[in-house]
Amino acid sequence: MSVEIKQFEKYTPVSSEHTEYIKNLTEYCKCSARRPAFHMIPPCGLMNDPNGLAYYNGQYHVFYQWHPFGPSHGMKHWGHFISEDLITWTDSPEILIPSEEYEKNGCYSGNSIQIGSDLFLYYTANYKSPQGKIPKQALAIMSPDEKIRKYANNPIIDETPEGLTGEIRDPFVFRRNGSFYMFLGGGTTDGIGRLILYKSDNGFAWNYQGCIALSGLDVGRMIECPSIVTIDGKDVLFLSFIGKEPEGDRYHNAFSTVYLIGQLDVENLTFHIEACDELDKGFDFYAPQAFYNKENKPVYFGWFGCGVQELPHMKEDMWIHGLTMPRLMSIRNKRLIQNISEKTAAQYDTVVYTGGQVVLDKNSFHLCIPVCQTNMVVQIGQAEDCFKIRVDNEHGKLTLDRSSLLEQFCQEYGVSRSLSFDPGKLTQLDLYYDNTFGELFINKGEDVMTFRAFPKSLVISIN
Ligand code: FRU
């Protein structure tokens, strides 16, 4: 199948004149050889951050940053998937289109919260001026009939607090002590990331409170995509950073995300940190957003991508990136444990590795590896075109190595990622591989590594 590719000016919002073209692109993308079976990807074009995640009115809503016209970061819309079970997804035509002057450069990231019977969608109205960005936050309201309308008095926040740059974005609204609070990411004019707090009594009118002190944490030069949930009485805060320096094995991607476990104090503008770590220790991961599922359990989706990436086949595919599987969260020994539900896992055929060479005839599989040896190397692919998982149980080190893949990408950030664990304590690896989308769960969710890989064959051998 082929499709005629059209070029558009970078900040073109979709309109009825593009309907036919987007439909053709979508049909074309359905035949892509790189299409995962179980991960969410855009119908066409580029997908980045998950937005507006909610279980609302009996259904899950996953919005996402979407540039429909091609596999590049252009005019951002909010694409929209709906599901009853977090497994089967329907593409919804009810999307956010940057149609107004105040959002002339895109509808950027944000979250959602139910107020009354409506779902309030908060987002950043991206507005560029010759002097730089002018920060504007906006609101759209989805009613129970799933129709979305922009709030007439947008932007709801239209100011730059003193000392901060114009790059203020990614509202995350939550309830606390009977009020609404909104986190925003940003940075100071002298280049230090800031977590910004606003307060509201009704979700429409917002007042600046100040910036949250983060106990001296290195937050890079800008914070993006804040997100918070409560687990067993503890606050779990996700922050995504631009410009965080690597520390040992951690923070080697273009941009990095951490989780903080502790206590948020909105009155005193502090987050007391009890534990902190890189959320995902792989390569292609950023900007996760947390929410509560049907059972009121905390879950998150992450963006299966990071920054501006050139991936193999993106130009011929006409789509790029996706989302991780939904990850359930819990806390054990001051550590965030991340797992997928049994339902999510049941989509995959499981191969429990018992030895020898296994040739898989499927592009998507779950490989469960009980770790009995002290040292082992799991190779996926042929020797000259493979990725490897190296386990050194004696020294407590695991390495995911992409250096032997024929199709290399993003090498400027390194070709391997490592993590440490208590020596002798690694007992199980679970690799969910979904046609180029890999999620490796270590010791049942003590750590996760997200990565893309494009090996031609999927022979598995372990030494
Ligand atoms: C993070 C991010 C957000 C922004 C969005 C734009 O990946 O840069 O800060 O709102 O992407 O697409």
Side-chain angles (χ1 to χ4, degrees), residues 9-15 17-18 69 75 77 97-99 104:
E9 192 278 317
K10 185 169 180 192
Y11 292 111
T12 306
V14 289
S15 67
E17 68 188 81
H18 307 116
F69 296 121
M75 182 71 134
H77 299 63
I97 300 171
S99 53
K104 68 183 174 68

Side-chain angles (χ1 to χ4, degrees), residues 278-328:
E278 188 169 18
L279 179 60
D280 184 291
K281 305 220 169 67
F283 296 87
D284 310 294
F285 179 92
Y286 192 59
Q289 187 176 94
F291 71 115
Y292 296 95
N293 70 7
K294 198 180 187 168
E295 289 81 33
N296 213 27
K297 297 262 185 320
V299 193
Y300 83 86
F301 281 95
W303 173 26
F304 219 119
C306 186
V308 179
Q309 293 182 304
E310 290 275 326
L311 295 187
H313 311 282
M314 57 187 261
K315 298 224 165 72
E316 109 197 47
D317 283 347
M318 284 306 281
W319 65 271
I320 185 170
H321 305 310
L323 300 183
T324 64
M325 297 184 282
R327 295 179 183 169
L328 288 160

Side-chain angles (χ1 to χ4, degrees), residues 259 261 274-275 330-337 422 446:
Y259 72 79
I261 301 177
E274 291 170 28
S330 55
I331 297 176
R332 197 170 63 221
N333 300 334
K334 291 200 171 176
R335 189 167 181 167
L336 193 73
I337 307 296
D422 289 340
E446 281 181 8

Side-chain angles (χ1 to χ4, degrees), residues 91-110:
D91 190 8
S92 166
E94 282 298 312
I95 65 172
L96 275 190
I97 300 171
S99 53
E100 307 298 319
E101 171 61 19
Y102 58 80
E103 56 196 7
K104 68 183 174 68
N105 301 108
C107 296
Y108 269 19
S109 288

